[in-house]
Amino acid sequence: MSDKSRIKYEPADGVGVITIDSPPVNALGPGMRESIIEALARGNADPSVQAFVLIGAGRNFIAGADIRQFGKTRSINSSVSAAALDASAKPVVAAISGYALGGGLEHALACHYRIAAPGAKVGLPEVTLGLVPGGGGTQRLTRLIGPRAAMDIILSGRHVGADEALRLGILDQVTDQPDLRAAAIHYARSIAAVRPVPRARDKQNWAVQDGEPAVFESMRASIARKARHLPAPSRAIECVEAAVRQSFEDGLKVEQQAFADLENTPEAKALRYAFFAEREAAKIPGIESGLAAAPVESAAVVGAGTMGSGIAIAFADAAIPVKVLESSPEALERGRLRIRDTYAARVKRGSLTQDSMDQRMARIQFVPGYEDIADCDAVIEAVFERMDVKHQVFGKLDAVMKPGALLLTNSSALDIDQIASATGRPGDVAGTHFFAPANVMKLCEVVRGERTAVATLQRAMKMGRAMGKVCAIAGSCDGFIANRSRAPMMTEMMLMLEEGATPRQIDKVMTDFGYPMGPFAVNDISGLDVSYEGRKRRALANPEYRKLHVPDRLVEMGRKGQKTGAGWYRYEKGDRTPHPDDVVAQVVAAVAKEFGIEQRTFSDEEILHRVLFASINEACKILEDGKAYRASDIDVMWLNGFGFPRHRGGLMYWADTIGASGVHRQISDWARRYGKRWIPSRLLADVAASKGNLRELQGAQGAGA
């Protein structure tokens, strides 16, 4: 089927029905906009047609433009087909089910009326791709609902539910009729005679004071820190301001110029790459994408600590009933209070209603025994990171869980096969490594053991996506993909401290690069003791392991981060602001003196390259070992697990902006200076020699196994 033929036109009861039929999400591809214009012309020339309905086949209206076409030459853009809808002499009703996003909402806004099914969602997410709407979205939406509400939707890129969209004035009606097409045709016939046809471009449905300069100045101030590396948010505000102060035609010119300026910026290209990388990460090579996996309809979590409580909240937020198991009534009660307080904080902030909190708490059942979770579809173990403890838990799970239940571990580093050996069903065992806090962070690293069944991986991935997570598969090895690739970065940070850098300088370099927080400040939040046990385990297993004396000594002093009032930084009571602490400087100086390490100053570039190049080299080794399917999966993990700046695309994508040869040359130099930990990966050397792209690398045969 050609893209042009994906638009169908059919008269029905005096209404011309224009159907977008471009599965799976009805994205607008080449030729489709022209076909919409042709259908409108045909119906406007037909005396028997009194009105139109624009509707999507299947579950969605139009989920946006085909992102693959961004950055390429197009015959026409959405502003042209939107203008044709707007200019139709006969009224056009947009019938919205599922998603109407980006160009989809722009086409709906250009229609004269909009009705929707109760589950519909609308939005203009272009800013999340480094762009602004380019089909009149900023102009029509602002005129419909005012600049404040329009900027909230455009700058957040969020999906707006049908009820809110009706309240704001984006929709004219939400219908509870099961047949949206029939309801839309009936509605179109009811308004067919209305003249003049109402056009969003002619409206001004907001108070005059809402357009005063203060609203735009306030919004610019509120996004200044978040948008300091991204031009799109500021350009979006400029477009909304033009909708308030200029004619529709002049405002549309401002919007189209902004879109053109942004479309091929480095930030927009990187954000598009990240978008597609996340979708590619959901695919398991060699497995048919349409192969159905049974959903997880009930779950259990063993452990009600910080991680277990966060995972339970993520299940409840996804409307999946979950049971929480703990070893003692006291620990179970602490977990219940932790979950309750987390929800209460959201209610206090206004991000959750009390009714919603009550509904979610009702989905969480706190139970004392393993037999209480036996009938759950999946269980996630979230206990202390020690193999003997994991073995005890999985032995009990093996004894009680129903056949076919997923037996999952939240381990961040331990061998999946060793954990599975405690059971008689290793095919049902996999890792689901969530990142703290599990109810907030987007990444779920699904870990495949040698005997993990493909069906287990599929179900675990499906479960993660149902929980709103971005999922990617890793092979079982120490640290899996995410933590294994990040460990060299953390090592170099610690060694640079010994050599003369400071936590504050390194944190500033990384926030200037685009991280929301510096790694030392983040470490204080997660706790310095979290990685302490892992370092002890690695030191016992490897006589050549380079101990990290500074963080070890801080932990042994009781400085574990914010929870103890001091870690890399000092914290005042009731205040989470990090303050540099002379105690840390004294520990660093003592370590340097003890081991004869010369202190020196570091440039910001050396700090940035040393920490990230170390991880790039390790990522290449992970691909060599066949523990990742794709380099882009590593990027997905860094973006969603570690807060790597999204506008930089990901670790491997960013490396390509420097060039594999440049990275290899610097790493080779550091290998001569610092020794074997910097020996370049063979794969990195090969890509450097071929002048290829690191982001396009595939894992070795059998990746992930």
Side-chain angles (χ1 to χ4, degrees):
M1 181 186 290
S2 69
D3 281 349
K4 194 169 184 179
S5 65
R6 294 182 187 276
I7 306 298
K8 296 179 172 63
Y9 174 78
E10 177 189 13
D13 297 328
V15 175
V17 180
I18 304 170
T19 304
I20 295 91
D21 187 8
S22 181
V25 296
N26 292 334
L28 290 170
M32 293 172 65
R33 297 170 181 83
E34 291 90 335
S35 294
I36 292 172
I37 294 169
E38 290 170 9
L40 289 167
R42 183 175 169 186
N44 273 299
D46 184 349
S48 69
V49 171
Q50 302 302 307
F52 295 95
V53 165
L54 181 66
I55 192 169
R59 292 182 296 176
N60 293 297
F61 177 66
I62 303 170
D66 184 350
I67 295 172
R68 292 169 297 184
Q69 302 304 312
F70 288 166
K72 299 179 181 178
T73 302
R74 294 176 291 275
S75 54
I76 65 171
N77 61 30
S78 290
S79 68
V80 179
S81 44
L85 289 163
D86 186 273
S88 173
K90 300 172 183 179
V92 186
V93 175
I96 302 171
S97 62
Y99 290 109
L101 303 175
L105 179 57
E106 289 183 304
H107 280 75
L109 292 171
C111 295
H112 307 115
Y113 300 91
R114 288 158 293 282
I115 73 168
K121 294 183 183 295
V122 304
L124 293 172
E126 286 86 350
V127 165
T128 65
L129 293 173
L131 300 168
V132 297
T138 63
Q139 303 305 296
R140 291 187 176 91
L141 184 65
T142 302
R143 286 170 167 79
L144 270 180
I145 67 174
R148 289 183 189 273
M151 284 190 290
D152 168 59
I153 292 170
I154 294 166
L155 294 173
S156 68
R158 68 186 180 92
H159 299 169
V160 180
D163 289 342
E164 183 184 0
L166 179 66
R167 187 171 66 252
L168 287 172
I170 298 171
L171 299 176
D172 297 290
Q173 185 182 106
V174 176
T175 178
D176 57 4
Q177 296 298 312
D179 187 341
L180 179 62
R181 184 178 187 275
I185 290 172
H186 176 77
Y187 186 81
R189 292 178 68 193
S190 74
I191 52 82
V194 174
R195 296 293 184 278
V197 292
R199 294 184 171 92
R201 60 177 290 165
D202 300 327
K203 298 190 181 222
Q204 188 176 337
N205 293 347
W206 69 87
V208 173
Q209 61 267 28
D210 199 23
E212 290 179 353
V215 70
F216 300 109
E217 293 168 7
S218 172
M219 188 60 73
R220 286 187 176 99
S222 71
I223 67 163
R225 188 171 185 274
K226 185 178 179 181
R228 61 198 169 119
H229 297 285
L230 294 166
S234 296
R235 297 300 296 270
I237 294 173
E238 176 187 326
C239 293
V240 173
E241 190 167 13
V244 170
R245 308 200 185 289
Q246 301 183 37
S247 68
F248 179 82
E249 290 79 9
D250 288 344
L252 190 60
K253 289 177 183 177
V254 171
E255 179 190 273
Q256 291 178 335
Q257 185 61 57
F259 183 91
D261 291 344
L262 294 168
E263 187 174 11
N264 287 305
T265 59
E267 294 84 3
K269 290 178 179 178
L271 290 166
R272 288 199 293 272
Y273 166 83
F275 176 90
F276 286 114
E278 288 172 350
R279 278 139 190 83
E280 191 69 16
K283 301 174 184 176
I284 304 174
I287 305 301
E288 294 180 25
S289 59
L291 200 60
V296 168
E297 296 178 337
S298 61
V301 178
V302 179
T306 302
M307 284 301 302
S309 297
I311 294 169
I313 290 170
F315 274 121
D317 286 349
I320 299 173
V322 59
K323 296 177 180 179
V324 178
L325 170 66
E326 254 296 356
S327 57
S328 70
E330 294 79 14
L332 200 60
E333 177 61 12
R334 285 195 298 271
R336 188 189 69 80
L337 293 175
R338 183 180 291 112
I339 291 170
R340 185 204 65 185
D341 291 347
T342 299
Y343 275 130
R346 288 164 65 177
V347 172
K348 187 175 181 179
R349 289 197 306 267
S351 61
L352 191 72
T353 66
Q354 184 63 51
D355 284 347
S356 293
M357 172 179 167
D358 295 342
Q359 291 169 12
R360 294 174 198 209
M361 285 296 296
R363 294 180 190 129
I364 305 173
Q365 184 180 353
F366 299 88
V367 299
Y370 281 84
E371 63 278 1
D372 296 311
I373 66 172
D375 62 342
C376 292
D377 292 339
V379 55
I380 299 176
E381 163 274 311
V383 301
F384 198 63
E385 190 77 339
R386 272 180 28 196
M387 186 61 74
D388 58 336
V389 180
K390 307 282 189 188
H391 269 194
Q392 290 176 15
V393 171
F394 273 81
K396 293 176 181 178
L397 294 177
D398 188 42
V400 304
M401 297 303 295
K402 68 182 181 181
L406 298 180
L407 308 185
L408 307 171
T409 174
N410 181 58
S411 173
S412 61
L414 298 180
D415 189 294
I416 299 300
D417 298 310
Q418 285 191 43
I419 293 172
S421 70
T423 78
R425 37 176 153 171
D428 295 337
V429 179
T432 45
H433 175 208
F434 293 84
F435 286 68
N439 52 303
V440 175
M441 296 298 289
K442 296 291 287 183
L443 179 63
C444 177
E445 186 178 23
V446 176
V447 188
R448 178 181 193 169
E450 286 188 5
R451 292 184 287 174
T452 303
V454 170
T456 297
L457 291 177
Q458 290 178 294
R459 289 190 73 198
M461 293 280 279
K462 186 171 186 174
M463 179 194 77
R465 291 193 295 272
M467 296 168 75
K469 305 302 181 184
V470 176
C471 300
I473 292 178
S476 183
C477 57
D478 189 4
F480 313 139
I481 292 176
N483 283 341
R484 177 180 163 183
S485 63
R486 192 168 184 255
M489 169 183 174
M490 304 306 293
T491 295
E492 294 306 316
M493 284 167 37
M494 302 308 164
L495 298 184
M496 281 191 287
L497 289 185
E498 296 177 5
E499 296 167 27
T502 67
R504 190 173 193 177
Q505 181 188 10
I506 294 172
D507 275 359
K508 183 178 185 303
V509 168
M510 302 313 283
T511 55
D512 287 348
F513 181 68
Y515 275 90
M517 292 182 69
F520 287 101
V522 170
N523 197 198
D524 273 354
I525 294 173
S526 61
L528 277 67
D529 53 325
V530 172
S531 54
Y532 179 71
E533 289 294 331
R535 290 196 297 273
K536 285 172 61 180
R537 175 172 53 81
R538 292 184 182 96
L540 287 172
N542 179 10
E544 296 184 5
Y545 179 74
R546 172 51 160 93
K547 292 183 179 180
L548 303 180
H549 304 286
V550 175
D552 287 351
R553 292 185 186 185
L554 292 177
V555 171
E556 289 157 7
M557 292 167 63
R559 296 176 65 99
K560 299 177 182 179
Q562 288 189 4
K563 58 190 171 187
T564 59
W568 293 110
Y569 297 100
R570 174 178 50 80
Y571 299 88
E572 305 293 346
K573 189 174 181 179
D575 181 13
R576 294 186 176 184
T577 303
H579 301 282
D581 195 338
D582 288 342
V583 173
V584 175
Q586 291 164 10
V587 171
V588 170
V591 168
K593 182 178 180 180
E594 181 178 340
F595 292 94
I597 300 168
E598 184 180 348
Q599 301 274 288
R600 65 184 179 88
T601 58
F602 285 82
S603 70
D604 289 354
E605 181 179 82
E606 182 180 0
I607 288 173
L608 179 67
H609 285 184
R610 190 160 153 189
V611 296
L612 294 182
F613 285 12
S615 285
I616 292 164
N617 197 34
E618 188 65 28
C620 290
K621 293 176 183 177
I622 289 169
L623 289 159
E624 280 181 30
D625 293 345
K627 299 303 180 182
Y629 288 127
R630 296 159 287 252
S632 59
D633 290 355
I634 299 172
D635 282 340
V636 167
M637 293 187 185
W638 277 65
L639 290 168
N640 293 285
F642 301 138
F644 191 89
R646 195 171 181 86
H647 70 278
R648 301 209 185 258
L651 179 70
M652 304 298 269
Y653 183 95
W654 174 77
D656 283 335
T657 66
I658 293 170
S661 59
V663 174
H664 180 263
R665 186 166 51 250
Q666 179 63 79
I667 286 177
S668 298
D669 180 59
W670 281 333
R672 289 186 289 271
R673 180 174 177 181
Y674 295 114
K676 63 189 298 183
R677 78 176 189 271
W678 277 104
I679 293 174
S681 153
R682 174 190 54 77
L683 197 55
L684 174 60
D686 290 346
V687 177
S690 67
K691 301 191 185 322
N693 287 321
L694 291 166
R695 65 179 180 271
E696 295 172 358
L697 286 173
Q698 301 291 306
Q701 186 68 27

